[in-house]
């Protein structure tokens, strides 16, 4: 059975009141992932073929509806491709940031979102959000009433809605020159949304598989900004003010079962603050501040146990600049970063891959530019230019740079796969020569073969090996520099961080730890009896080349994925998928252990104290004028201290133990479920990795190991839902009035929420089918599935959308008449 993961990095754009639409879409994403989890919880693969979602769930639970159809789709696809759907990265700005936060919490702990429907429909209203002191009275700015109609707005169809007329009049006549909407009420609404989802049934409840995690990124704008020290040639330092800010939240469930989460109720106020701050639309809401959330929590009689941790993780540099993070003012994240693609793309790097991965960046754009929009040839007027420069143009910047990055990334992934596959026959033949086919597979035998293969790789690489080793040494020095900077609490990319890098390079040069041509056989062992018997640069490489071990483990995991694809091949009889699963779990455990070794020095107070003592003060501006000379002098002056620190770091990390662990794992391939041919395949991948690394590491340069799969990009928007378009569904109502219209009318919110669910269902079916190689837009079975799903959405939502009954009836009639055929 071919196995695949549809792994989604979700990006949610801003859109003010179109947050209601995005809530409908995000609810469908949750339902798809929930259905996938339910299917894969059935361990018996034969039982899956006849299972239904409600075999394990209560049919009368109002939280569930379209899960049934996603489950059915994944179940039927599973006859040819066993597909699992995972959302592991979410990034959002403004209205998208709100929905990103709520969806991430629901995914992290498998929580319901049904109660959020009424929070949005009832409370996302200008009447509920207006500050009490700002609300207009009967005679407030009475002169605006005739002016409103004289301006031409009265002729718009939109204004014919009585609720819109009343709310627009009240809003326009409310307080001027101060934000009319209440920050406290918005904060309370966000806090209620977070807490309404409740707490997980158990600490381990999650829609994320064991060993994977979820990362949430929410953009905000620091109104006053914070200073960053930057290095130039002359002057050596300048101070720049940075206004962009990113709030980060993480969920990790380790293979051991241990859970690390920022999405529990202990951090509810932190999540609510992120949602409040990212949507603090300038002029409409006052800036958000953490003290506002403190006041809300105190007024509710609640606690914020994770407050100090939240501030330390997200505002660390504020403390170093003597800025009180709790009093800092934040406005809408869309002001400077409305489309946070880069945050999602950067988070993709280094992700472990359980199976073959179909990596998608899916973005929700509630108001995309229509194709063939008319060009404007006349010169814009004064106020038009001001409005465009201040808000319109920055909010609609294209994503060209990020998309081009993805194109280049995909090209690199194809190139790397091509290199690996083309070299496989050559490497396999060389590795086969170092193995004794008649010998028992023991840890000692694996170690001996590995060392021999390392020597073969060094000897066969020729002159290219020197460049490869120099690059590895540069990577090791970078790793040591980063460790020291992190232990000392030095901000990345700061002048102090650069000074540490230069000092480590100077120490390596003075201590003989730079590359010198030598017998490459000295690199043939990863676990020598005595490191001091080797050239110094070899010892440093063996003590600190964590990245090599990490690359090798990722390569082994990818190779296990390759075994899934050939389980039924004639040359691998007797290989059982459970054996592949078990070894992959062992590799992931080894990977987690290796990552813990990378940070072992942080748990050693003696190491931390040594770093703080050695790197007590940052270089002065005059010293930074010639940073190489400063670094050489520092390394010479503190030679003994640096030597002791390097030895301490090496002892903390203890890489030799990591290598022995992997040898032991490979020795177990002789157990049940492994044939002689499949054992040989796994060993060739392990023993042959030095050959592949020589070929691929220089191409990869400094890129982290992890996924080597191409990234595809899909959009969810009103323009892309082809099945809904056939129903002639109305357009989004919240797009008018600069995306504020849904705040003026419940009927508009109902309209947009319902369309969000239908658009989300429509597009997610397309994306799942595309991953499985099915064209959902032409497949009659998919049209029927979408029709059934739409009818289920209409049936469930009808009771909650009293002002949309006519729309629902018309949509139901069109579906019943076969409009989707």
């Amino acid at each position: 059975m071919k196995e695949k993961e549809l792994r989604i990095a979700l990006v949610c754009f801003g859109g003010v009141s179109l947050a209601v639409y995005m809530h409908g879409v995000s609810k469908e994403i949750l339902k798809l992932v929930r259905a996938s989890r339910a299917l894969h919880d059935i361990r018996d693969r034969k039982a899956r073929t006849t299972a239904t979602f409600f075999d394990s769930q209560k049919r009368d639970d109002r939280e569930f509806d379209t899960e049934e159809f996603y489950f059915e789709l994944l179940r039927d696809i599973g006859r040819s491709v066993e597909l699992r759907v995972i959302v592991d990265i979410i990034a959002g700005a403004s209205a998208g940031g709100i929905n990103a936060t709520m969806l991430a919490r629901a995914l992290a702990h498998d929580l319901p979102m049904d109660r959020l429907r009424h929070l949005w429909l009832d409370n996302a209203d200008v009447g509920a959000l207006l500050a009490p002191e700002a609300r207009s009275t009967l005679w407030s700015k009475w002169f605006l009433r005739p002016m409103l109609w004289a301006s031409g707005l009265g002729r718009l169809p939109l204004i014919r809605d009585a609720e819109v007329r009343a709310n627009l009049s009240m809003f326009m006549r409310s307080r001027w020159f101060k934000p009319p909407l209440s920050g406290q009420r918005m904060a309370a609404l966000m806090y209620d949304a977070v807490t309404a989802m409740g707490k997980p049934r158990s600490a381990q409840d999650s829609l994320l598989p064991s060993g994977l995690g979820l990362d949430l990124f929410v953009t905000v704008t620091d109104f006053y900004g914070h200073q960053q020290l930057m290095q130039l040639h002359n002057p050596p330092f300048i101070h720049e003010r940075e206004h962009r800010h990113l709030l980060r939240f993480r969920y990790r469930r380790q293979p051991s079962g241990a859970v690390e989460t920022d999405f529990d109720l202990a951090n509810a106020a932190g999540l609510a603050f992120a949602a409040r701050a990212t949507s603090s639309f300038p002029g409409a809401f006052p800036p958000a501040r953490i003290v506002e959330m403190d006041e809300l929590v105190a007024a509710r009689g609640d606690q914020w146990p994770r407050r100090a941790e939240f501030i330390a993780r997200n505002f660390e540099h504020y403390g170093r600049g003597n800025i009180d993070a709790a009093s800092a003012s934040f406005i809408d994240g869309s002001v400077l970063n409305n489309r946070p693609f880069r945050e999602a793309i950067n988070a993709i790097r280094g992700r472990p891959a359980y199976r073959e991965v179909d990596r998608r960046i899916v973005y929700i754009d509630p108001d995309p530019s229509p194709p063939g929009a008319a060009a404007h040839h006349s010169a814009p007027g004064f106020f038009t230019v001001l409005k465009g420069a201040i808000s319109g143009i920055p909010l609609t910047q294209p994503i060209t740079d990020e998309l081009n990055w993805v194109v280049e990334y995909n090209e690199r992934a194809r190139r790397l796969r091509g290199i690996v596959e083309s070299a496989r026959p050559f490497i396999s033949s060389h590795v086969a020569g170092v193995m004794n086919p008649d010998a028992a597979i023991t840890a000692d035998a694996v170690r001996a073969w590995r060392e021999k293969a390392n020597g073969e790789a060094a000897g066969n690489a020729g002159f290219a090996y020197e460049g490869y080793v120099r690059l590895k040494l540069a990577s090791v020095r970078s790793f040591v520099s980063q460790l020291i900077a992190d232990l000392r609490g030095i901000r990345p990319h700061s002048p102090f961080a650069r000074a540490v890098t230069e000092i480590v390079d100077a120490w390596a040069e003075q201590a003989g730890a730079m590359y010198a041509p030598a017998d490459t056989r000295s690199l043939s062992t990863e676990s020598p009896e005595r490191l001091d018997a080797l050239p110094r640069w070899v010892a440093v490489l063996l003590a600190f080349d964590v990245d090599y071990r990490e690359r090798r483990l990722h390569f082994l995991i990818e190779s296990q994925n390759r075994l899934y694809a050939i389980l039924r091949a004639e040359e691998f009889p007797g290989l059982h998928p459970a054996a592949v699963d078990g070894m992959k779990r062992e590799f992931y455990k080894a990977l987690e252990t290796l990552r813990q070794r990378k940070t072992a020095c942080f748990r050693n107070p003696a190491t931390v104290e040594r770093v703080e003592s050695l790197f007590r003060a940052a270089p002065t501006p005059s010293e930074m004028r010639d940073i190489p000379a400063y670094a050489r002098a520092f390394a010479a002056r503190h030679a003994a201290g640096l030597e002791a620190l390097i030895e301490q770091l090496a002892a903390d990390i203890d890489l030799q133990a990591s290598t022995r662990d992997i040898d032991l794992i490979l020795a177990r391939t002789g157990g049940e479920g492994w044939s002689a041919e499949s054992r040989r395949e796994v060993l060739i991948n392990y023993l042959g990795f030095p050959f592949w690394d020589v070929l691929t590491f220089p191409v990869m340069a400094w890129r982290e190991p992890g996924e080597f799969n191409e990234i595809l990009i899909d959009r969810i928007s009103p323009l892309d839902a082809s099945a809904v378009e056939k129903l002639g569904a109305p357009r989004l109502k919240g797009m008018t009035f600069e995306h504020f219209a849904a705040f003026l009318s419940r009927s508009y919110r109902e309209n947009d929420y319902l369309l969000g669910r239908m658009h989300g269902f429509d597009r997610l079916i397309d994306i799942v089918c595309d991953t499985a190689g099915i064209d959902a837009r032409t497949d009659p079975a998919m049209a029927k599935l979408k029709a059934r799903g739409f009818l289920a959405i209409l049936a469930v939502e009808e009771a909650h959308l009293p002002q949309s009954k006519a729309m629902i009836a018309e949509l139901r009639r069109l579906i019943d008449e076969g409009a989707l055929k």
Side-chain angles (χ1 to χ4, degrees), residues 32 111 134 187 190 225 254 257 346 353 405 428 464 477 548 555 567 595 598 668:
L32 169 61
L111 297 172
M190 296 299 98
Q254 309 298 351
N346 289 338
W405 185 94
S428 296
R477 294 195 302 273
Y548 175 84
F555 183 80
L567 273 173
R595 287 172 174 166
K598 289 172 68 173
R668 297 179 195 139

Side-chain angles (χ1 to χ4, degrees), residues 548 551-552 555 684-694:
Y548 175 84
R551 290 196 302 274
R552 181 167 60 189
F555 183 80
I684 283 175
N685 289 327
Y686 178 54
L687 303 176
F689 179 73
F691 292 89
W692 276 297
D693 201 48
V694 170

Side-chain angles (χ1 to χ4, degrees), residues 726-747:
K726 292 180 181 179
L727 299 176
R731 66 193 296 268
L732 297 184
K733 299 290 184 66
M735 288 193 294
T736 51
F737 286 143
E738 302 295 327
H739 296 164
F740 267 89
F743 288 154
L744 302 174
S745 168
R746 180 187 172 102
S747 67

Side-chain angles (χ1 to χ4, degrees), residues 225-230 232 237-243:
H226 58 274
Q227 281 195 342
Q228 289 193 351
L229 193 64
M230 308 294 293
L232 302 179
F237 293 138
I238 62 170
H239 292 84
E240 284 293 302
R241 191 165 292 279
E242 176 63 77
H243 294 271

